Amino acid sequence: MTDTLSDMLHDDGFEVAGRRFTSRLLVGTGKYKDFEETKLAIEASGAEIVTVAVRRVNLSDPSQPMLVDYVDPKVYTYLPNTAGCFDADSAVRTLRLAREAGGWDLVKLEVLGDQKTLYPNITETLLAAELLVKDGFKVMVYTNDDPIVAKRLEDMGCVAVMPLGSLIGSGLGIQNPVNIRLIKESLSVPVLVDAGVGTASDAAIAMELGCDGVLMNTAIAQAKDPIRMARAMKLAIEAGRLSYQAGRMPKKLYADPSSPLSGLI
């Protein structure tokens, strides 16, 4: 008997650092107009993992609005990240502070190269990843779309590798699908596209490449209607995953009629 759509989606998920998640959509918590909109968008997205920029989001000052009052850390898995760090030392220090504050050891590492492109600084990323893994962190790492670098990060002990689709916040979509596919085929840890998604079709493409998930922030937060876009992204992730599992038809140079031509009257 054919499984229902609900059955297929319920049975499908991905595992990172020994924890299993049903939703393959990870979302950020920045750039919204307020925490209430953040909450509503995350609910609409169906995401279970939310990234938190430790250096920018209030997690500890009760005199100011706090994210935890709107996005319950008992309901969602908080993924502290190092947004705004441009060297290994500041990234490591930031995540150690996050662990002291909230006990988080599953973290997202990103070490940026410059303000203009926010492209990853690979030298500093590798250094920070090595230090964090040795320090007991479970590191999900933002990187470029280089399969060799991705494999090295896996070999160092990172629990997930997150190649960019395009520049952070650019909305340009996946610029190098061939490399993303190569990374996915060469790694055994989860591969998640991180950065560059602009609309639902970009998310679907990432999933059709076989990626385990997609992380996004600006595409939802800066949409004209973030709540509606969050819902669109949820459906796009599900559709792209189902499409990948189904296996697309081969591309052909010439037409192939849907109905056979033999036996026509």
Side-chain angles (χ1 to χ4, degrees):
M1 181 177 180
T2 303
D3 290 336
T4 65
L5 176 59
S6 177
D7 290 336
M8 287 187 285
L9 293 177
H10 179 73
D11 291 338
D12 188 43
F14 80 104
E15 185 174 304
V16 59
R19 300 184 60 179
R20 189 156 190 85
F21 298 93
T22 300
S23 174
R24 293 175 178 272
L25 175 59
L26 293 69
V27 296
T29 53
K31 300 186 178 180
Y32 292 94
K33 66 179 182 181
D34 53 35
F35 281 150
E36 180 63 24
E37 184 177 72
T38 306
K39 171 188 174 182
L40 294 174
I42 292 172
E43 289 175 351
S45 76
E48 297 167 288
I49 301 176
V50 296
T51 63
V52 181
V54 179
R55 303 178 75 189
R56 297 171 181 165
V57 174
N58 178 31
L59 295 171
S60 58
D61 182 1
S63 67
Q64 301 293 328
M66 295 176 64
L67 179 65
V68 294
D69 293 331
Y70 294 84
V71 181
D72 189 346
K74 296 179 181 178
V75 175
Y76 298 95
T77 296
Y78 271 40
L79 185 66
N81 71 37
T82 56
C85 292
F86 290 85
D87 59 76
D89 181 65
S90 62
V92 171
R93 186 170 59 252
T94 296
L95 291 178
R96 284 174 176 164
L97 289 172
R99 183 166 62 182
E100 291 176 9
W104 296 296
D105 61 355
L106 180 64
V107 297
K108 180 197 167 189
L109 170 66
E110 58 179 73
V111 185
L112 307 175
D114 60 38
Q115 289 279 2
K116 184 176 182 179
T117 67
L118 301 182
Y119 206 75
N121 181 323
I122 297 303
T123 303
E124 294 293 303
T125 296
L126 290 168
L127 176 58
E130 182 177 22
L131 292 171
L132 290 167
V133 169
K134 287 181 178 178
D135 202 14
F137 285 93
K138 300 169 184 176
V139 181
M140 302 173 68
V141 57
Y142 165 69
T143 183
N144 60 14
D145 54 10
D146 183 336
I148 305 304
V149 171
K151 182 60 179 173
R152 184 174 176 188
L153 288 165
E154 178 187 45
D155 292 343
M156 292 173 63
C158 293
V159 298
V161 176
M162 309 173 75
L164 55 81
S166 52
L167 300 182
I168 292 174
S170 68
L172 291 172
I174 298 176
Q175 295 294 296
N176 199 340
V178 174
N179 276 23
I180 298 294
R181 186 62 181 264
L182 287 173
I183 290 172
K184 175 56 188 171
E185 290 179 353
S186 64
L187 271 58
S188 58
V189 297
V191 173
L192 301 96
V193 165
D194 177 13
V197 169
T199 190
S201 57
D202 298 330
I205 288 170
M207 298 309 298
E208 288 177 339
L209 290 171
C211 292
D212 297 280
V214 180
L215 190 156
M216 66 183 75
N217 187 178
T218 310
I220 296 175
Q222 298 295 288
K224 292 181 179 179
D225 185 337
I227 315 305
R228 195 180 295 269
M229 184 60 81
R231 174 66 176 166
M233 291 301 187
K234 177 181 186 294
L235 296 174
I237 293 289
E238 293 173 358
R241 179 63 182 174
L242 285 171
S243 177
Y244 171 74
Q245 291 174 318
R248 65 155 292 144
M249 61 166 284
K251 294 182 179 181
K252 302 173 183 178
L253 182 59
Y254 298 107
D256 186 0
S258 298
S259 301
L261 296 176
S262 61
L264 295 179
I265 298 175

